[in-house]
Amino acid sequence: MERHNIPTAAYKEFTIDSFEQGVAYIKRSEMPIVIKADGLAAGKGVVIAQNPVGGGKSFPGDGDVQQFGQSGEKWSLSNFLMALSFLFS
């Protein structure tokens, strides 16, 4: 998206190895924040955290990371954008 100058939410990627940096990013970010497991997670890989405490608990490293399998090894944290969406069929 950035490469093609398409406006999108700011985001950062983290892995299990960079857990502490991810938690620090959550704590200094504006809420709500979107926490997304990379890859397929059976529709369960996205959390919209309303506060830093909820965000920290949803981020890998607090014991539940394996619930997402390999999808839980890499995460992206991004700003939450509120928008209207229309579907025409």
Side-chain angles (χ1 to χ4, degrees), residues 53-72:
V53 172
K57 288 183 179 178
S58 301
F59 197 63
D62 92 339
D64 266 348
V65 67
Q66 292 310 313
Q67 71 180 325
F68 301 112
Q70 285 187 324
S71 296

Side-chain angles (χ1 to χ4, degrees), residues 61-88:
D62 92 339
D64 266 348
V65 67
Q66 292 310 313
Q67 71 180 325
F68 301 112
Q70 285 187 324
S71 296
E73 294 177 6
K74 183 177 176 185
W75 291 71
S76 66
L77 304 175
S78 63
N79 294 54
F80 178 81
L81 299 178
M82 179 69 81
L84 293 175
S85 177
F86 295 95
L87 175 66
F88 296 97

